Amino acid sequence: MSIPPPPPPDDNADPFRPPPPPTPDTPPQASESVPLPPPSSDAPTSPIPGPSSAGKKPVPDPSGPSTGTTEAIPSPSSPRTGSVFRRTPANEETTVLTPVTAPTNILDRIPLSERKRWRLFAGGTAGLAALLLAFTVYLLVINNQWQTRADALTIESYDLGERLTDALGQIVDQQAQIDLLGEQLETSQERVLELADEMAQAGDNATYTQQQLALYQELSALGGSVSLALNHCVNEHEKLVGYLKNPGAWDPESLAAYEAGVNQLCDSAQSANATLQKALTE
Amino acid sequence: MKFAAGALALLLVGCAAPLPPGPYPTDFVPDESPSPTIDSFLLSPDGFDAAQRMTVRVRNVGCETIVTGTGFGVDEHTLITAGHVVEGSRSIEITTYDGQTIEATALGSTTVADLAIIAVEESLPAFGELAEADPSISDAVTIVGYPGGGRLTTTRAVVITTDPEDVDPEVGPAFGATVVLEPGMSGAPVLNSDGQVVGVIYGVSENLPQSFFIPVSALQTLLEQPPVLTPESSSC
């Protein structure tokens, strides 16, 4: 029987996956050694022991034609990696599993590229933390300054509030005084207008009185003239009566002229008296 | 990539970070204090408004007659009143709103409407400003005068149109006011809302509850004419 070549190494094999524990059916036998296929360059350094298949029916390989001698069975525990258990008819009974030597350092099991990424990540995180710390300190300082400002402004606000309250109180008092003064001013204006009206009415009355006084004075003067004319008329009438008692002693023409003059005088006096009476009735 | 995003976020946070407070203000009271904004037109030394101060009472002392009317100043030494108020006068006596008496020195006759000019030697306490144009219909006006020769009174009215047949043709164009005025208001100033003179009261309607006033345009025509003032007569 020919031994089929080992399957190509699986690139997706998990290199960190620990070896599976030995199954109770096939305990490893260190006394017997079986040559194993050469390890792949990408494969782990030690072959992965698979479960013993002694006494079991071979399972056909679904990935390729079955040779009837060697079959690769996918590991049920790692379907992704495709790790296989190799079973050959020649050493089916004498499979020897070599124990895997675990890495001494966890970093040694990390690839170099991953280490660099981890270092970059750690460095960046540390930088960000430092920046955040500095920013936090800055915020604390700013907060302290604003807190101080807020306290000062609060004190100032209370002071301004007291001053504003005092000013408002003064405004209310002054407004009340203004209202009172406004009422007093309105009263004074009313009084001024009343007094001005009274003065005007008094002026009108005084003017009217003056006019009446002038009228009375004119009437009085007219009455005096009428009285004088009437007295003169009476006197002349008395003289005329005396002359007429002895008419032969006087020139008839002169006596007639005198009589005409007396009559004219009395007519004038009577006319003036009629005018006076008319003015008095008006 | 994550570091770059974190650094960018930190940079943005740093840009939006709060800044320290500025210098503390020394005074919170503004420099410009409020000043009173009272219109000088309303200022008065005794509380009376300009319309009251510019309006005077006119006493026409004739031969055995006394006629009272209203007038108003257009400058310190010139009064305007209705023509029929001073008709047949032997002397004119002027009294102000506060009872002061001002002697008229001359009386001007005019052929413009029913208007008269009175010159006074003493300074009037106030005088009015003439409007540049006649009032419009439905304008609100204020009329200040001495109704019945009594106390100074302020009346409000609205300008309306007049019936031409109701107006004396010798007076010329006239406006109406929705108020019935008593005798003694002739010569009273008609003021618009700005306190400007827009007319002179000269009569009332016999048929309708309205009064007539001569527009300010006729008054301006009168004032533009050369003054013809005649001394008052001392004999009847």
Side-chain angles (χ1 to χ4, degrees):
Chain A
M1 291 179 70
S2 61
I3 299 173
D10 191 357
D11 293 335
N12 296 328
D14 188 359
F16 304 106
R17 189 170 67 86
T23 58
D25 295 339
T26 56
Q29 300 176 2
S31 60
E32 297 179 8
S33 64
V34 174
L36 296 175
S40 173
S41 61
D42 294 336
T45 55
S46 61
I48 301 173
S52 175
S53 59
K56 292 187 177 179
K57 185 177 180 180
V59 180
D61 187 359
S63 62
S66 175
T67 59
T69 57
T70 303
E71 295 178 6
I73 303 173
S75 172
S77 60
S78 63
R80 182 181 65 86
T81 59
S83 298
V84 297
F85 299 97
R86 296 181 182 87
R87 183 179 64 188
T88 58
N91 59 4
E92 187 175 1
E93 301 296 333
T94 60
T95 299
V96 177
L97 298 178
T98 303
V100 176
T101 58
T104 58
N105 191 347
I106 190 169
L107 292 177
D108 295 339
R109 293 191 298 174
I110 302 174
L112 185 57
S113 59
E114 287 293 327
R115 292 183 202 172
K116 291 180 179 178
R117 289 176 58 191
W118 274 104
R119 286 183 183 134
L120 284 175
F121 178 76
T125 303
L128 283 176
L131 287 176
L132 284 176
L133 179 61
F135 188 64
T136 302
V137 171
Y138 172 76
L139 288 180
L140 287 174
V141 172
I142 296 298
N143 177 60
N144 187 26
Q145 293 178 357
W146 278 111
Q147 188 65 38
T148 305
R149 173 61 57 89
D151 294 342
L153 289 177
T154 301
I155 296 173
E156 188 72 27
S157 298
Y158 279 115
D159 180 57
L160 289 175
E162 291 180 359
R163 291 164 58 185
L164 179 62
T165 303
D166 294 341
L168 289 176
Q170 293 178 1
I171 289 176
V172 170
D173 294 341
Q174 291 178 354
Q175 186 62 44
Q177 293 181 2
I178 288 174
D179 294 341
L180 180 60
L181 290 174
E183 294 177 359
Q184 293 176 349
L185 177 61
E186 187 176 355
T187 304
S188 300
Q189 288 177 339
E190 290 293 326
R191 185 57 182 158
V192 166
L193 293 178
E194 288 178 0
L195 290 175
D197 180 38
E198 291 176 2
M199 287 184 62
Q201 300 299 328
D204 292 345
N205 294 334
T207 303
Y208 178 75
T209 303
Q210 288 177 356
Q211 289 180 342
Q212 293 298 311
L213 180 60
L215 178 61
Y216 292 149
Q217 287 176 346
E218 290 179 3
L219 292 176
S220 177
L222 181 60
S225 299
V226 170
S227 176
L228 184 62
L230 288 176
N231 288 334
H232 196 189
C233 173
V234 171
N235 292 335
E236 294 302 323
H237 255 288
E238 289 177 352
K239 289 181 181 178
L240 180 60
V241 170
Y243 294 152
L244 291 178
K245 285 182 180 178
N246 189 10
W250 310 100
D251 180 47
E253 291 181 359
S254 299
L255 185 61
Y258 180 75
E259 183 180 4
V262 170
N263 290 333
Q264 187 178 0
L265 176 64
C266 289
D267 291 341
S268 176
Q270 288 176 355
S271 176
N273 185 39
T275 302
L276 175 63
Q277 297 302 320
K278 184 180 179 181
L280 290 175
T281 54
E282 291 177 352
Chain B
M1 189 63 182
K2 292 179 182 178
F3 293 128
L8 181 59
L10 195 59
L11 183 62
L12 293 176
V13 169
C15 292
L19 298 175
Y24 193 78
T26 57
D27 190 6
F28 290 90
V29 179
D31 296 334
E32 296 181 358
S33 60
S35 58
T37 57
I38 299 177
D39 191 353
S40 59
F41 180 77
L42 301 176
L43 292 178
S44 169
D46 52 12
F48 289 94
D49 56 40
Q52 292 175 312
R53 292 166 54 80
M54 64 182 278
T55 306
V56 298
R57 183 179 189 269
V58 179
R59 180 190 299 133
N60 173 7
V61 181
C63 295
E64 303 176 5
T65 58
I66 296 176
V67 177
T68 61
T70 304
F72 61 95
V74 291
D75 60 43
E76 285 189 354
H77 301 281
T78 305
L79 290 170
I80 299 295
T81 186
H84 66 269
V85 171
V86 296
E87 189 176 13
S89 65
R90 196 180 65 180
S91 66
I92 299 293
E93 297 175 1
I94 308 298
T95 53
T96 61
Y97 66 99
D98 56 354
Q100 296 183 28
T101 301
I102 298 176
E103 291 292 333
T105 56
L107 175 67
S109 59
T110 176
T111 57
V112 178
D114 185 21
L115 295 173
I117 296 177
I118 301 173
V120 295
E121 189 169 351
E122 299 177 43
S123 297
L124 296 171
F127 53 88
E129 177 186 0
L130 300 183
E132 295 181 354
D134 292 340
S136 302
I137 303 302
S138 75
D139 280 357
V141 292
T142 302
I143 304 167
V144 186
Y146 296 86
R151 61 174 294 173
L152 185 61
T153 304
T154 301
T155 307
R156 304 193 186 282
V158 176
V159 178
I160 57 175
T161 56
T162 58
D163 185 0
E165 297 181 356
D166 206 9
V167 180
D168 186 357
E170 295 182 357
V171 173
F175 284 79
T178 58
V179 62
V180 178
L181 299 175
E182 297 181 33
M185 288 291 284
S186 294
V190 181
L191 308 172
N192 61 12
S193 57
D194 295 330
Q196 298 174 323
V197 178
V198 294
V200 182
I201 294 291
Y202 81 93
V204 296
S205 173
E206 297 178 353
N207 305 319
L208 299 174
Q210 59 182 256
S211 301
F212 302 135
F213 65 91
I214 302 167
V216 68
S217 56
L219 178 58
Q220 288 172 337
T221 303
L222 167 65
L223 295 176
E224 289 172 359
Q225 292 181 349
V228 181
L229 300 178
T230 57
E232 57 183 271
S233 172
S234 60
S235 62
C236 293

